[in-house]
C-alpha cells in the first residue's frame, strides 16, 4: 500500500500512478467473470461497497444471474472499493464460510 499512494499538498492521498494506468491494468486481463458466474457451481456471495464500488448491484446485473438463484450481492455500509482493507474481519469470515460450505 505504501507504494500505491502518495501524499497530496492538502494532506490527502492519491494514487501514485495515473488513473489511466490503473484502468489499463483491469481492462487488459483475460478473465471472463460473467461466464464464470453463469456456469453451474456453488453459491456466490458478493460483498459490494456502498461508495465507489466496482461491482454493479444485482438489479443492474445480467438477469440470468438473479435467475440462477445462487448469486447474492450484499452492500457493506460505509465501505469503499477498498472494502477488503477497510473490513478485513468481515472478508475473512466470508472466505472461511465459503471454504466450509464447499
Amino acid at each position: 500500500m505504501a507504494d500505491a499512494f502518495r501524499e497530496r499538498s492538502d494532506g490527502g492521498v492519491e494514487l501514485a500512478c495515473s488513473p489511466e494506468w490503473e484502468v489499463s491494468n483491469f481492462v487488459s486481463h483475460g478473465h471472463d467473470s460473467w461466464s464464470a458466474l453463469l456456469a453451474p457451481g456453488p453459491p456466490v456471495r458478493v460483498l459490494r461497497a456502498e461508495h465507489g464500488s466496482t461491482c454493479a448491484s444485482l438489479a443492474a446485473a445480467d438477469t440470468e444471474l438473479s435467475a440462477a438463484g445462487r448469486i447474492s450481492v450484499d452492500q457493506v455500509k460505509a465501505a469503499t472499493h477498498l472494502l477488503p482493507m477497510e473490513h478485513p474481519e468481515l472478508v475473512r469470515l466470508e472466505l472461511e464460510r465459503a471454504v466450509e460450505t464447499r
Side-chain angles (χ1 to χ4, degrees):
M1 294 297 291
D3 292 331
F5 298 98
R6 64 178 168 231
E7 290 188 36
R8 295 188 317 230
S9 60
D10 65 1
V13 295
E14 65 185 5
L15 287 173
C17 65
S18 71
E20 295 80 14
W21 176 255
E22 184 184 24
V23 168
S24 72
N25 283 292
F26 293 100
V27 171
S28 63
H29 72 74
H31 305 294
D32 185 357
S33 302
W34 288 113
S35 290
L37 286 170
L38 292 171
V44 174
R45 182 169 183 217
V46 176
L47 299 177
R48 180 183 187 278
E50 181 179 25
H51 305 286
S53 180
T54 58
C55 171
S57 70
L58 189 57
D62 190 333
T63 55
E64 290 183 67
L65 290 178
S66 57
R70 66 181 193 86
I71 312 291
S72 65
V73 179
D74 296 306
Q75 183 168 287
V76 179
K77 297 287 182 195
T80 72
H81 76 280
L82 296 174
L83 189 152
M85 282 73 87
E86 296 168 339
H87 301 278
E89 284 299 308
L90 172 63
V91 173
R92 182 184 63 80
L93 288 172
E94 289 302 322
L95 289 170
E96 287 175 351
R97 186 177 296 148
V99 168
E100 290 172 2
T101 58
R102 249 184 125 199

